[in-house]
Amino acid sequence: MGELFDVVRWHDSTCTMQTYARKPVMFVRGEGMRLYDDEGSEYLDFVSGIGAVNLGHAHPAVTEAVTQQISKLVHVSNLYYVEHRAELACDIVRLLGGGMRVFLANSGAEANEGAIKLARKWASETKPGAFRVVSALQSFHGRTLATLAATGQPGKQEAFAPLPEGFVHVPLNDIAALDGAVDETVAAVLLEVVQGEGGVWPASAEYLTAAERLCRERDVLLMIDEVQTGCFRTGPAFAHQAFGIAPDVVTIAKSLANGLPIGALVAAEKVAAAFSLGDHGSTFGGGPVICAAARAALAALESEALGANAVRSGEYLREGLSAVGEATGAITDVRGLGLMVGCSLSTPIAAEAAAALLERGCVVNHIGADILRFLPPLVCGAAEVDTLLATLSDVLEGAAS
Ligand code: PLP
């Protein structure tokens, strides 16, 4: 551990709110899938800032776009036109197949908060009395009060009561439960295609199709939270596109600007029209630097065909994890879509396993006591997966002995 790191740790422990259990490493540089700590040690990154650096670290196109724009104009607010904002909105609408409008915010929680507001405003005009949002147990939609209320994890909510009213939770992939919950008081159903923070739990194709049908039949908005699944992480630009469903609202964040803070609320034209002048706003959202970064990031994700690589490498990783599971008996379940991959361990050693992996140069996230989550940059190839699997195999064998 370097001297600088000691000083940083001390200041962090005395001056920052202690809401994170930080891992004992300080990263100072990154390139592609590789991270470097303050002493120059190299790591393979299977977290990518929690799925927020899909292109990999220090992508030259994003660096160039940010550098150009930051030296020209940083901020004037949404009261004025700027370069890159409308162009980015057009890029997002195109990737979603057209017929939608975009509101730019600063994070996933903000995008979802905006979606909840939009659903309520839309319902107040078209379905008086409807205001509830149905979401899934184990979901994660953010940390603001409304998005926390939408998040289906009671453990994260309890200390913050009373939360805003109007949120109902149902078990994921239980069509009958969704059917029962979507009554005339419901304005929207909000779902992740793969629950990320909750433990990498994919929604089934039948469930997503049924959710769309129920929403159509009952005039309820289908809102898909693509904060973690979006930006080619699972293969297509947005994960729901693989299931042939057409949500009324899509929220995006994380990797949209390859690691810089951004969120986007996207809604079908007729739904977006519910927001009138002054209904929603943001000082920083849609600023020219972040929008330049996002345009460059989306262009590079497309031109480098990283969605296709996410599918290929994701399959390879899941197969490899299953093989490690068979060899060690330490993995009970492997799941995911594209390069959003999770596995359950047979014993509650996920934190210890992640710590041992970090010591050996693989950055991996653990969820709860027994789940490992893998969200590498989409440039991840077979060689990096092979290194991870060999290291994980050693770690799990070591834990068993
Ligand atoms: N929605 C999903 C599906 C997420 O995974 C997250 C963050 O992990 C959020 C919303 C919240 O995003 P943010 O942390 O940018 O507010």
Side-chain angles (χ1 to χ4, degrees), residues 50 107-110 112 140-142 192 197 225 227-228 253-254:
I50 323 185
S107 67
E110 259 189 64
N112 284 332
F140 186 83
H141 299 292
E192 293 160 271
E197 208 74 17
D225 179 340
V227 166
Q228 194 163 143
K254 291 224 190 254

Side-chain angles (χ1 to χ4, degrees), residues 127-193:
K127 289 184 69 178
F131 64 98
R132 288 202 168 86
V133 173
V134 176
S135 58
L137 286 167
Q138 286 302 117
S139 62
F140 186 83
H141 299 292
R143 302 275 189 170
T144 64
L145 285 176
T147 58
L148 187 60
T151 290
Q153 300 187 44
K156 288 194 164 67
Q157 298 171 331
E158 272 147 21
F160 305 100
L163 291 174
E165 64 171 314
F167 294 88
V168 181
H169 300 106
V170 291
L172 184 71
N173 292 335
D174 182 336
I175 296 171
L178 188 63
D179 190 353
V182 180
D183 62 20
E184 66 290 346
T185 68
V186 172
V189 169
L190 173 62
L191 294 172
E192 293 160 271
V193 176

Side-chain angles (χ1 to χ4, degrees), residues 30-274:
E31 200 182 323
M33 253 202 88
R34 285 165 173 79
L35 285 169
Y36 299 88
D37 70 14
D38 57 314
E39 296 196 303
S41 299
E42 184 180 291
Y43 299 77
L44 279 180
D45 184 5
F46 288 89
V47 175
S48 40
I50 323 185
V53 191
N54 285 3
L55 276 177
H57 298 282
H59 192 284
V62 179
T63 307
E64 171 67 14
V66 169
T67 311
Q68 289 261 343
Q69 185 56 42
I70 213 162
S71 54
K72 244 168 76 178
L73 182 69
V74 173
H75 179 72
V76 289
S77 88
N78 277 295
L79 300 181
Y80 311 99
Y81 292 95
V82 291
E83 290 180 272
H84 301 299
R85 185 194 294 137
E87 295 93 321
L88 172 61
C90 290
D91 289 346
I92 294 172
V93 168
R94 176 182 57 79
L95 286 171
L96 280 164
M100 303 186 96
R101 284 177 184 263
V102 179
F103 179 93
L104 290 165
N106 307 284
S107 67
E110 259 189 64
N112 284 332
E113 186 83 23
I116 294 162
K117 277 180 71 178
L118 181 64
R120 288 193 175 184
K121 182 81 194 302
W122 171 82
S124 75
E125 288 167 358
T126 59
K127 289 184 69 178
F131 64 98
R132 288 202 168 86
V133 173
V134 176
S135 58
L137 286 167
Q138 286 302 117
S139 62
F140 186 83
H141 299 292
R143 302 275 189 170
T144 64
L145 285 176
T147 58
L148 187 60
T151 290
Q153 300 187 44
K156 288 194 164 67
Q157 298 171 331
E158 272 147 21
F160 305 100
L163 291 174
E165 64 171 314
F167 294 88
V168 181
H169 300 106
V170 291
L172 184 71
N173 292 335
D174 182 336
I175 296 171
L178 188 63
D179 190 353
V182 180
D183 62 20
E184 66 290 346
T185 68
V186 172
V189 169
L190 173 62
L191 294 172
E192 293 160 271
V193 176
V194 182
Q195 293 184 335
E197 208 74 17
V200 194
W201 301 107
S204 68
E206 302 74 55
Y207 187 72
L208 292 170
T209 311
E212 185 188 47
R213 179 179 47 76
L214 285 171
C215 286
R216 296 285 167 266
E217 282 170 8
R218 297 175 199 181
D219 197 21
V220 162
L221 299 181
L222 177 62
M223 309 205 296
I224 299 291
D225 179 340
E226 293 264 12
V227 166
Q228 194 163 143
T229 49
C231 303
F232 300 89
R233 169 134 314 263
T234 70
F238 299 99
H240 72 265
Q241 292 171 324
F243 298 89
I245 57 169
D248 303 290
V249 174
V250 175
T251 53
I252 315 165
K254 291 224 190 254
S255 206
L256 185 53
N258 205 47
L260 291 160
I262 188 167
L265 158 64
V266 195
E269 295 260 11
K270 70 175 194 324
V271 179

